[in-house]
Amino acid sequence: MIFETHAHYDDDRFNNDRDELLRRLPEEGVGVVINSGASVESTRDTIRLAKEYPHVYAAVGVHPSEIEELDEDFIQWMKERASEEKTVAIGEIGLDYYWDKEPEVQERQRYWFGRQIELAREMKLPIIVHSRDAAADTMQVMKEHHAEEIPGVIHCYSYSKEMANEFIKMGYYIGVGGVVTFKNAKKLKETVEAIPLEKILVETDCPYMAPEPHRGKRNSSLYLPYVVEEIARIKGVSTEEVERVTEENARKLFYKVK
Ligand code: NI
């Protein structure tokens, strides 16, 4: 089976077929889905989805571009949710300097990233890290908060293979999705080649990041086989091997998944 480590099925783009799609996934070979919170609202929706579908698990967290609505009350709410059976991670949290260029906003991003790392430590949960155009600061905040003591994944990985190895040294996994199938994704293909399969997780980030040949369309976990195939091609192993090892990796990291 394929273990989908990062999806956003709460997104409006699934309003017309969410239920049908989610119910179909296990029979299509996608046995587990982690739905990742990104805002206050989507984190609440994520908890609801995890309650409704046996194979859907929740990550609770607020994305760097949504931190203006985050406060200590919501941190406490997430803390209560984090002790529930189906909450398996804190995420997605991190830094995104692509959209936010103002120094004060970036500073608030660093504060709330650190605060949510501390929440993960307290709740003994792994973190799902979103990092865009902020490699050095991401590493710095993680080091300041001793994130090497908290395992996690750098999701939708977009930096160099050297940087990937730095994260791996800290005990982190590298999340690989649809981008790896793009012809111009040289850097990510090189990263996949350079790092051990034992450190890779597969993900969609759906509805975003649809792989070839569906690039630009709405993504879903049904397209994960394209990602698995490309990883298998790069690593020179079978698709079964990629599915088996990445599932094992995901179960090790997200230890609360049954
Ligand atoms: Ni995401």
Side-chain angles (χ1 to χ4, degrees), residues 6-8 36-38 63 92 128 130 155-156 203 205-206 208:
H6 195 109
H8 301 282
S36 184
H63 183 286
E92 56 187 289
I128 297 171
H130 169 103
H155 118 83
C156 198
E203 60 169 54
D205 204 16
C206 66
Y208 314 103

Side-chain angles (χ1 to χ4, degrees), residues 9-19 218:
Y9 282 109
D10 51 280
D11 193 277
D12 285 349
R13 289 169 76 183
F14 294 109
N15 282 356
N16 291 330
D17 61 349
R18 180 179 297 108
D19 184 61
R218 187 191 75 171

Side-chain angles (χ1 to χ4, degrees), residues 139 148 162-174 199:
M139 188 56 98
E148 73 280 359
E162 290 80 15
M163 196 75 193
N165 278 319
E166 291 299 307
F167 285 116
I168 288 170
K169 263 188 240 157
M170 288 178 81
Y172 279 70
Y173 290 86
I174 302 298
K199 290 294 166 189

